[in-house]
Amino acid sequence: MKAVEPFRFPGARGQILDGRIELPEGQARGTAVFAHCFTCTKQSKAATSIAGALAQAGWRVLRFDFTGLGDSDGAFAEAGFVCDVDDLVAASQALAGAGHRVDLMVGHSLGGAAVIAAAERVPSVTAIATIGAPFKVDHVLDRLGEQIASIPADGAGEVSIGGRPFSISRQFIDQLFDQPQAERLGRLGRALLVCHSPTDEMVALANAKAIFDAARHPRSFIALDGADHLLTRPGSAQYAAGIIAAWARCYAPQH
């Protein structure tokens, strides 16, 4: 039976981030890092299902809370996409310091955009998988609508996301623009798996095509038929997890 261990480490700005490492039975094929969706946590359905499936397939997997979310320190309003990317790099460095070189990165929704940005700063990574990821990072602002209208002038404000209140700063919003995702994908130089539901209600399928087209081979696309964006429908998270686990086997350091 697989085990789960706590893993706390300093983030890019010195804040302590809280994570869990899912351990496989026996020797690990390699080490993976999972990046959760916008305002989600390491306990989301996608995070726990995919990390668990990868562990069952022989991977050591870290899922952690980004700055200001879940059990991690820091202020969400002062974090944002750039901080998430930096925290993924910090997580990879912390794992390497513990003797576990990171080989695989998996990201859900905005976490998928973050792993694309972070991978070029983690040379050991050989494969990346995205799930329901937006091509343009500022896509996340579509979910906030008119709630953010006064933030550029006021400097900060409160928004409601999924029925929960979050403080958002102007800096948080500004860093979502002009992220060179197409250029990052073009020079990625690693295997890429793009997973997306044709009926994704938050991030349209066109985003998956844009990601796929911007990348070079080896690249693959899997349609998560019938899945919702958060993978909460029965069986959808397990299906995505199984696909990623099977695909990642080809890129594990040990086969």
Side-chain angles (χ1 to χ4, degrees):
M1 183 176 181
K2 65 182 179 66
V4 180
E5 293 183 349
F7 189 74
R8 291 174 63 81
F9 60 96
R13 302 175 185 177
Q15 73 281 31
I16 299 301
L17 304 181
D18 188 78
R20 298 291 181 273
I21 295 180
E22 304 256 2
L23 296 169
E25 293 184 6
Q27 185 175 2
R29 293 181 180 278
T31 300
V33 174
F34 183 90
H36 62 68
C37 59
F38 181 55
T39 72
C40 294
T41 71
K42 64 180 181 297
Q43 296 300 117
S44 71
K45 182 70 172 178
T48 56
S49 295
I50 291 167
L54 285 170
Q56 290 178 352
W59 289 81
R60 178 189 300 106
V61 188
L62 170 65
R63 49 183 170 88
F64 70 97
D65 296 323
F66 281 125
T67 296
L69 292 168
D71 298 312
S72 287
D73 294 341
F76 179 77
E78 298 172 3
F81 184 76
V82 172
C83 185
D84 289 351
V85 173
D86 290 343
D87 285 345
L88 279 167
V89 175
S92 300
Q93 292 172 341
L95 284 167
H100 309 310
R101 184 188 68 181
V102 175
D103 311 287
L104 169 67
M105 284 186 168
V106 181
H108 180 206
S109 192
L110 192 61
V115 298
I116 290 170
E120 62 185 355
R121 295 168 55 191
V122 187
S124 62
V125 170
T126 58
I128 298 161
T130 65
I131 308 160
F135 176 59
K136 292 186 176 180
V137 177
D138 59 6
H139 179 281
V140 71
L141 297 179
D142 293 344
R143 293 182 59 188
L144 302 179
E146 295 181 357
Q147 296 184 84
I148 63 171
S150 64
I151 291 178
D154 297 343
E158 187 172 281
V159 299
S160 176
I161 304 172
R164 294 182 295 161
F166 290 91
S167 293
I168 299 289
S169 67
R170 178 177 178 175
Q171 175 187 338
F172 186 104
I173 294 174
D174 288 347
Q175 63 185 271
L176 293 171
F177 295 102
D178 300 322
Q179 290 292 333
Q181 293 295 87
E183 291 83 354
R184 287 165 173 159
L185 285 160
R187 61 176 182 259
L188 196 60
R190 290 87 181 270
L192 174 68
L193 173 64
V194 181
C195 302
H196 212 108
S197 170
T199 55
D200 190 313
E201 75 283 10
M202 293 185 184
V203 182
L205 184 61
N207 287 270
K209 183 180 187 303
I211 292 171
F212 185 86
D213 288 347
R216 299 179 179 181
H217 286 296
R219 55 184 178 168
S220 303
F221 171 77
I222 290 291
L224 303 177
D225 290 332
D228 60 329
H229 181 71
L230 295 179
L231 303 182
T232 57
R233 291 177 185 164
S236 59
Q238 291 78 6
Y239 175 66
I243 290 292
I244 293 171
W247 169 83
R249 185 182 181 93
C250 299
Y251 304 100
Q254 301 176 21
H255 299 285

